Amino acid sequence: GAVVSQHPSWVICKSGTSVKIECRSLDFQATTMFWYRQFPKQSLMLMATSNEGSKATYEQGVEKDKFLINHASLTLSTLTVTSAHPEDSSFYICSARRETQYFGPGTRLLVL
Amino acid sequence: GIQVEQSPPDLILQEGANSTLRCNFSDSVNNLQWFHQNPWGQLINLFYIPSGTKQNGRLSATTVATERYSLLYISSSQTTDSGVYFCAVGGNMLTFGGGTRLMVKP
């Protein structure tokens, strides 16, 4: 149990376009999901906490207008990177909280 | 916020060797987890261990909450143990340490 999926697993896009990443808890309901970003050879940095039915809570330094988070159901949270630029290229990982946090497989984003 | 430090940052082992990874944290926590990030980036839960000792096969972990540290023991290491080991602490939200990058050579 406690499986979290992400889609897509990787995406390449042109600068200026928007990209949506989905995070799903497959076998449990999660009122809280989290979005992290990881640059090469670095640790995971929390971007935001996604709460079902309410606005996301963003960490300091994360632009809420650039990284739009929607948690429309108890099994789905989405992260939309708007007007993506090359510096947004990274590995984005979501997690869903049950008794502990369970992590998705991540999405590699490359912005050209 | 809470600070999490892991040591060593890099570790190279010969297959069959044992190792100890350390995680120090700066404040009291009610959640501490150890993860293994495989070469494809997937984070695998190893232990949820806010205190005490747990064992799972060749892996075991001990957290001494009063002294604010946790240890992850890997015995008889295998090449498949290679990857990055993270500890993460917190309550509702997790703060990750910098990780220990482990390479096990055959």
Side-chain angles (χ1 to χ4, degrees):
Chain A
V3 179
V4 178
S5 70
Q6 277 185 247
H7 178 81
S9 54
W10 58 270
V11 58
I12 302 173
C13 69
K14 292 183 178 179
S15 186
T17 61
S18 294
V19 174
K20 180 185 283 188
I21 302 170
E22 293 185 348
C23 177
R24 293 182 185 273
S25 55
L26 299 184
D27 52 1
F28 67 101
Q29 293 182 332
T31 55
T32 304
M33 292 184 175
F34 302 89
W35 287 95
Y36 295 83
R37 181 167 52 182
Q38 185 181 30
F39 292 107
K41 297 193 184 301
Q42 294 188 21
S43 187
L44 281 75
M45 297 298 294
L46 179 65
M47 298 176 65
T49 302
S50 171
N51 300 296
E52 189 267 338
S54 64
K55 291 183 178 180
T57 303
Y58 291 82
E59 294 301 299
Q60 192 172 8
V62 178
E63 300 176 57
K64 60 179 67 175
D65 294 331
K66 181 168 187 62
F67 298 99
L68 301 180
I69 291 172
N70 183 272
H71 194 154
S73 78
L74 289 172
T75 60
L76 173 64
S77 176
T78 60
L79 168 69
T80 301
V81 183
T82 62
S83 186
H85 289 108
E87 57 265 30
D88 298 324
S89 299
S90 189
F91 188 49
Y92 292 87
I93 310 173
C94 73
S95 71
R97 191 167 69 96
R98 202 170 70 176
E99 65 280 2
T100 62
Q101 287 191 33
Y102 294 90
F103 285 78
T107 297
R108 296 192 184 279
L109 171 63
L110 177 60
V111 185
L112 302 177
Chain B
I2 194 167
Q3 305 296 314
V4 185
E5 294 185 359
Q6 290 186 244
S7 60
D10 296 280
L11 185 59
I12 300 175
L13 297 175
Q14 207 65 38
E15 198 169 28
N18 303 328
S19 63
T20 300
L21 282 57
R22 187 177 180 101
C23 173
N24 292 333
F25 44 97
S26 62
D27 205 348
S28 301
V29 297
N30 55 20
N31 181 7
L32 187 148
Q33 294 181 245
W34 282 97
F35 298 93
H36 176 214
Q37 188 171 38
N38 67 21
W40 297 271
Q42 172 75 63
L43 278 165
I44 300 165
N45 290 51
L46 296 178
F47 295 102
Y48 166 71
I49 185 165
S51 64
T53 298
K54 290 186 178 180
Q55 181 160 5
N56 184 1
R58 295 182 297 104
L59 302 181
S60 64
T62 295
T63 297
V64 183
T66 53
E67 297 186 22
R68 300 179 185 169
Y69 73 89
S70 183
L71 302 174
L72 178 69
Y73 305 97
I74 305 175
S75 64
S76 302
S77 58
Q78 300 176 359
T79 56
T80 51
D81 295 332
S82 296
V84 185
Y85 289 81
F86 289 105
C87 75
V89 305
N92 183 41
M93 298 184 296
L94 290 176
T95 300
F96 279 74
T100 292
R101 192 172 301 273
L102 173 64
M103 179 184 294
V104 181
K105 294 186 172 182

